Amino acid sequence: MKRYFQPVEKDGSSTKKPTLSASKKNSENGETIGENTKTEPLKFLTWNANSFLLRVKNDWPEFTNFITGFDPDVIAIQEVRIPAAGSKGAPKNPGELKDDTGSAREEKQIMMRALSSPPFSNYRVWWSLADSKYAGTALIIKKCFQPKAVFFNLDKKASKHEPDGRVILAEFETFRILNTYAPNNGWKEEENSFPRRRTWDKRILEFVLQCSDKPLIWCGDLNVSHEEIDVSHPEFFSAAKLNGYVPPNKEDCGQPGFTLAERKRFANILKEGKLIDAYRLLHKEKDMEQGFSWSGHPIGKYRGKRMRIDYFIVSEKLKDRILVCDMHGKGIELKGFYGSDHCPVTLVLSEASSINTRESDFSI
């Protein structure tokens, strides 16, 4: 492992654990909020890290330089892949990192040191984790932009976490931000495949309809490419099979994330929820070099095959405030992916009172 941080202290050390923020209780849901707040966030970043811990160990200097340059107010992470706290056979705490073994404590300390060092020392972190090293999300928000409430499910129920830690919802004064890691559709009609994704899409639709009282910013790895322009090779992905299996329903055929069934459901969510795909609003033409957020392995049949499955979806009410929405990785060699198979995606909104702010003011 590359040593970008001080060596981990042995068990029993009196070293003080890092504190992420000074805070007070939020009576609405038990979460803590910062003492000093400013106006609402305008700069957002989403990234499927494909193991946040590995990115800290192997790719942290490059990623922190990117964060320093862009200076986001909110960072949404998917595929954290850190287990939730709780010993074997005991109930888990999805809001805390596992630390009941020597290796788990070391991994937790590595992560906490990274997030307690600049530029992340100016942020507070919320976790929603799976029981094992699978899935999981994190929401990292500047301390001066603390939300009114934070939930970890689509039902807005205090303390409940979605299975596998796939949801974090932060509510601010004038909008909500939803960070999700959507389950993969899979290849076959199985218990944890097509039905699971259909159920997820149904619940997302219900959520956006029930929460229409306030504008929404929905981001994350949504695991769907909406239209043909959103994949590098539409014919390849449409005809893709696993071990020759062909689903009985033609709309379930093809690459997970690019089946007709998924794409139709996604289109319906956008239509019924009055939502805008921020990237496609600003980028009308296909960009074979930098127009996709996920890229296949550089070796094998997926070399050069790419998909746009990471999004910022925003309410139509925010449409005129969208200044920038960009992807920051390019090429078969995955430049700007920082070790993941997904690249970061950014969104910049103008202030509500000054929607004509120049885009160049937010370049990095």
Side-chain angles (χ1 to χ4, degrees), residues 205-218:
L205 176 59
E206 291 171 348
F207 170 83
V208 298
L209 292 177
Q210 292 170 0
C211 294
S212 60
D213 60 308
K214 185 178 290 189
L216 175 69
I217 299 172
W218 173 27

Side-chain angles (χ1 to χ4, degrees), residues 316-333:
E316 289 181 355
K317 296 176 183 178
L318 298 175
K319 179 179 178 180
D320 292 337
R321 294 179 57 191
I322 300 172
L323 294 176
V324 178
C325 188
D326 285 327
M327 282 174 281
H328 296 271
K330 62 180 180 179
I332 296 173
E333 292 75 20

